[in-house]
Amino acid sequence: MAYSAPISPSLSFFKTPQLARFSFPFSPLYSSPRIQNLSLPTMKNKTWSSSVVVAATAAEKQKKKRYPGESKGFVEEMRFVAMRLHTKEQAKEGEKETKAPEERPVAKWEPTVEGYLRFLVDSKLVYDTLEEIISQSTFPTYAEFKNTGLERAEKLDTDLKWFKEQGYEIPEPTATGKKYSQYLKDLADKDPPSFICHFYNIYFAHSAGGRMIGRKVAERILDNRELEFYKWDGDLSELLQNVREKLNKVAEEWTREEKNHCLEETEKSFKYSGEILRLILS
């Protein structure tokens, strides 16, 4: 940052008559003047140098600015931003006002089997998209997240087959799910940090609030049946920790600007996921 310090009074040339004395022994028109006793006054205080030090220190502090959660790794930064986008009813760290139907407490929801099926079908499309991008990509960032144990597409396929066996008609994906799927494909090609933001929020949200929603919906319309969508092979906490470490490792290669760009995508991730979640109430 540019810094403009005031000139110390001791550096004012115009107020120092002894700065230079000119002697003209011959006609000043033909002779060069001689400069005698040319000397700069000594600064009597440290105002200017102190100001420079203060400015440099402030710039250094700005450079080392810590973001919420940064000391624990980038995943904690993502978690912090995500939690703020919850309502107070959804999370104690939430700051958002309750507006959309799906933001109300789950206990107040009135889900339907048909709406739940639309939600599951669109969710499967999104997970299919994510997992296909990851499995087929040769991009090193995405390769880190192959076979993490968090994959959900196969589990959803099993659940949809069960619903079909019960006599329910399985719907086609809605425009909402298709739109999100295409958006993820576009991001994967041109904007890896934003894609990783969606990857994190989709999988981690499902492992937390998603399980609670699944349990409550099952109580209301499925006689407490636990779907495969909400089961994992192995210890879930260990699976999540392994992915956290991989995410932190990937983010270590990013600039601060790329990290901030990733964090800024969180709101869009919530928007798309919220629209799909809302289908349960349709």
Side-chain angles (χ1 to χ4, degrees), residues 32-267:
S32 300
R34 294 198 305 273
I35 300 177
Q36 299 176 343
N37 301 325
L38 181 61
S39 62
L40 287 175
T42 308
M43 282 205 295
K44 297 181 180 180
N45 59 62
K46 304 294 184 180
T47 303
W48 185 81
S49 59
S50 297
S51 299
V52 171
V53 171
V54 170
T57 302
E60 188 65 21
K61 286 183 178 179
Q62 180 66 21
K63 187 185 300 182
K64 294 181 178 180
K65 174 184 175 182
R66 283 285 188 180
Y67 290 78
E70 185 179 4
S71 61
K72 296 181 180 180
F74 188 61
V75 169
E76 184 62 17
E77 290 188 57
M78 289 196 285
R79 190 198 70 81
F80 180 84
V81 173
M83 295 310 292
R84 290 176 60 188
L85 291 175
H86 287 75
T87 64
K88 287 291 186 183
E89 289 78 11
Q90 293 172 329
K92 63 181 180 180
E93 300 167 81
E95 297 181 1
K96 187 178 179 182
E97 292 184 14
T98 302
K99 294 180 180 179
E102 72 278 4
E103 293 173 347
R104 294 178 299 160
V106 181
K108 297 182 180 180
W109 287 13
E110 296 182 4
T112 64
V113 175
E114 292 74 22
Y116 195 41
L117 279 171
R118 282 189 282 271
F119 162 74
L120 294 174
V121 167
D122 274 22
S123 294
K124 183 176 183 300
L125 176 60
V126 169
Y127 283 105
D128 275 335
T129 302
L130 282 170
E131 289 158 23
E132 183 176 324
I133 290 170
I134 295 296
S135 65
Q136 295 182 2
S137 177
T138 57
F139 190 50
T141 296
Y142 301 156
E144 288 282 345
F145 304 104
K146 293 180 179 179
N147 303 316
T148 63
L150 298 183
E151 291 80 13
R152 299 289 87 195
E154 188 175 324
K155 300 286 188 180
L156 280 163
D157 187 55
T158 299
D159 288 331
L160 290 172
K161 288 178 179 177
W162 178 82
F163 275 100
K164 189 172 182 179
E165 291 170 357
Q166 308 310 305
Y168 292 101
E169 182 178 349
I170 308 302
E172 292 296 315
T174 70
T176 298
K178 291 177 181 178
K179 182 179 179 181
Y180 195 14
S181 173
Q182 186 58 53
Y183 183 70
L184 290 171
K185 291 176 183 177
D186 294 340
L187 284 184
D189 291 335
K190 64 183 182 182
D191 193 347
S194 289
F195 177 82
I196 291 298
C197 174
H198 288 263
F199 174 91
Y200 164 78
N201 282 293
I202 289 171
Y203 284 104
F204 278 68
H206 178 65
S207 71
R211 285 195 295 164
M212 183 271 292
I213 290 171
R215 185 172 62 254
K216 294 293 185 181
V217 171
E219 290 174 1
R220 299 287 294 275
I221 62 176
L222 297 178
D223 289 331
N224 289 310
R225 179 183 175 84
E226 185 181 14
L227 299 182
E228 296 300 312
F229 188 30
Y230 305 101
K231 298 177 184 179
W232 285 262
D233 298 326
D235 184 88
L236 178 57
S237 61
E238 289 183 8
L239 297 176
L240 291 170
Q241 182 56 30
N242 288 337
V243 174
R244 283 191 194 95
E245 292 172 1
K246 291 176 182 292
L247 286 165
N248 284 331
K249 177 182 176 183
V250 165
E252 286 175 359
E253 304 299 321
W254 292 350
T255 64
R256 185 65 250 179
E257 289 73 18
E258 288 173 320
K259 290 179 180 179
N260 289 346
H261 180 64
C262 175
L263 297 175
E264 289 165 1
E265 188 71 15
T266 307
E267 195 164 351

